[in-house]
Amino acid sequence: MLGRNFGRTTVGGGKFSPRLWRNAYYSSALKKAPQAVKTSEGPAYPHVSTPSAYKSIQVLSNWHTLDDQPLSSQSIKELFSNTISTIRHPNFLSAEECARIVEIIRTEEIVRFCHYAFDTPDDKDAYLNGVTTARSLQERLKREANVDIVGRVCNILRETSGLPVRMAKEADREYFAGLVRVVDNTIQIHADYGPFQGPGWEIGDITGQLTWNVLFKQVKGGDTIIYDRQWQGKTDDERFRKPLPSYAYSPAGMQGQIFKVMPPIEGHLTFFNPRNFHEVKPCDRTFGQSTDDVRYTMSSFVGFLPESTSGGPALILWS
């Protein structure tokens, strides 16, 4: 027992220690307190037994790793097969190259540098007629920044995969590849897949699709979120497609899915499978204030055209 004169003594005749008294009190109280019931399945609650039928949620994944993988022939195959989440190739562009590119993009002419096949999905001529204009702007970017980004991507894919790499085409008319985006806001959940978006186009004959991205200026925030959940076409459109914006899908369709966070890093070349639903978070900012941080990027799609199709096997690029 503790000594009666709590202000001066304890058992053993020493001076009273409030710390020792508290420890002794809580130790005694814990012995009398109700103890949580713990089971191997589910959480612990005082005096509550976990039902035997309760099971933890099991989340399955197609991916065998969430780590960025180095660019290689094997990783390209795995990304087409959706067994990994991302590929990252560091230092694809130097800091000096990125700075030159950003200065050019900031000019009025390059801000218009946007040409996308699915802006005109039912009109091949409208899309193909715009390729020359889009390429003339890209030529300026190549000339003034002294770097051919799309050509560099094609070369590295050709060397790594061992496959022919070319622009997608309709007869002898090539598609455009190398979309520049300047974004400070969010890009909502969506997916991209040629056979669903471009039936009747060459890109409708692919059997797998990747997208590559290069960031030209470091930002805070702006992460890409990739879900281990592939677009199932009409089924998902009917259940989860939003009326506004019309390209986007409800987060309810992603519920319970594993996801990968891919942070943007200046000058890195990254790849993921865009048939997986994905979104881009906005750059970080103080609530109600604008920010100077914007994501300057270039990207295109890469499709695998099988040997059974005309022009295959090959990797084909388009935007």
Side-chain angles (χ1 to χ4, degrees):
M1 269 181 88
L2 292 172
R4 293 185 181 183
N5 188 345
F6 291 150
R8 295 185 181 277
T9 61
T10 63
V11 172
K15 291 183 178 181
F16 170 70
S17 166
R19 179 180 177 186
L20 289 175
W21 184 86
R22 286 196 303 270
N23 290 346
Y25 174 81
Y26 289 130
S27 176
S28 175
L30 285 172
K31 290 178 181 178
K32 299 176 182 179
Q35 298 299 303
V37 177
K38 296 183 178 180
T39 72
S40 60
E41 298 176 343
Y45 297 98
H47 299 306
V48 176
S49 298
T50 304
S52 59
Y54 178 88
K55 299 292 183 182
S56 298
I57 295 174
Q58 301 296 317
V59 180
L60 303 178
S61 177
N62 296 296
W63 302 332
H64 63 75
T65 179
L66 288 173
D67 295 333
D68 292 334
Q69 297 301 296
L71 182 60
S72 68
S73 176
Q74 180 63 26
S75 64
I76 290 173
K77 292 175 184 176
E78 290 188 304
L79 198 57
F80 271 122
S81 300
N82 195 38
T83 58
I84 60 174
S85 58
T86 49
I87 293 172
R88 186 180 293 273
H89 185 64
N91 306 315
F92 176 74
L93 294 176
S94 68
E96 294 76 15
E97 289 172 328
C98 288
R100 291 199 301 270
I101 291 167
V102 169
E103 287 305 310
I104 296 168
I105 293 174
R106 281 174 170 164
T107 66
E108 181 180 353
E109 291 83 0
I110 299 299
V111 169
R112 295 187 289 106
F113 185 45
C114 179
H115 195 58
Y116 189 42
F118 305 126
D119 290 340
T120 53
D122 299 319
D123 192 341
K124 291 183 184 180
D125 282 338
Y127 169 78
L128 294 169
N129 289 340
V131 170
T132 300
T133 301
R135 282 187 176 168
S136 69
L137 296 174
Q138 193 174 72
E139 288 301 321
R140 179 187 168 205
L141 187 64
K142 291 191 294 184
R143 182 175 62 253
E144 297 186 20
N146 196 31
V147 57
D148 180 358
I149 300 168
V150 175
R152 194 178 291 187
V153 171
C154 289
N155 287 338
I156 201 168
L157 283 173
R158 191 176 294 113
E159 294 168 3
T160 305
S161 70
L163 290 168
V165 179
R166 61 172 175 83
M167 298 298 112
K169 60 185 180 180
E170 299 297 319
D172 59 348
R173 303 175 70 185
E174 289 187 341
Y175 291 40
F176 169 75
L179 181 68
V180 168
R181 287 191 177 96
V182 180
V183 179
D184 67 350
N185 207 337
T186 187
I187 299 176
Q188 295 190 33
I189 296 170
H190 67 287
D192 307 282
Y193 190 47
F196 293 160
Q197 294 171 306
W201 299 54
E202 185 180 43
I203 58 176
D205 294 332
I206 65 167
T207 57
Q209 186 169 327
L210 311 181
T211 186
W212 61 267
N213 287 266
V214 183
L215 181 77
F216 301 134
K217 182 177 180 290
Q218 192 60 51
V219 295
K220 296 177 181 178
D223 297 314
T224 299
I225 311 298
I226 304 140
Y227 297 92
D228 186 11
R229 162 82 157 78
Q230 292 209 316
W231 183 21
Q232 301 304 313
K234 185 178 179 181
T235 301
D236 284 330
D237 294 348
E238 291 174 348
R239 294 186 63 195
F240 300 116
R241 193 150 198 170
K242 299 170 68 173
L244 291 173
S246 59
Y247 73 87
Y249 290 76
S250 168
M254 311 304 115
Q255 188 166 262
Q257 302 298 317
I258 285 178
F259 62 88
K260 159 76 176 186
V261 179
M262 185 170 68
I265 301 177
E266 180 183 307
H268 286 200
L269 174 66
T270 58
F271 296 84
F272 66 90
N273 189 320
R275 185 177 174 182
N276 288 64
F277 285 99
H278 53 282
E279 61 180 309
V280 180
K281 295 298 185 180
C283 297
D284 294 344
R285 68 182 71 185
T286 302
F287 180 75
Q289 294 185 359
S290 61
T291 177
D292 291 333
D293 267 348
V294 294
R295 296 174 79 254
Y296 294 94
T297 64
M298 181 182 284
S299 65
S300 88
F301 298 120
V302 182
F304 175 70
L305 200 63
E307 188 173 5
S308 58
T309 62
S310 176
L315 298 181
I316 58 174
L317 276 65
W318 77 96
S319 292

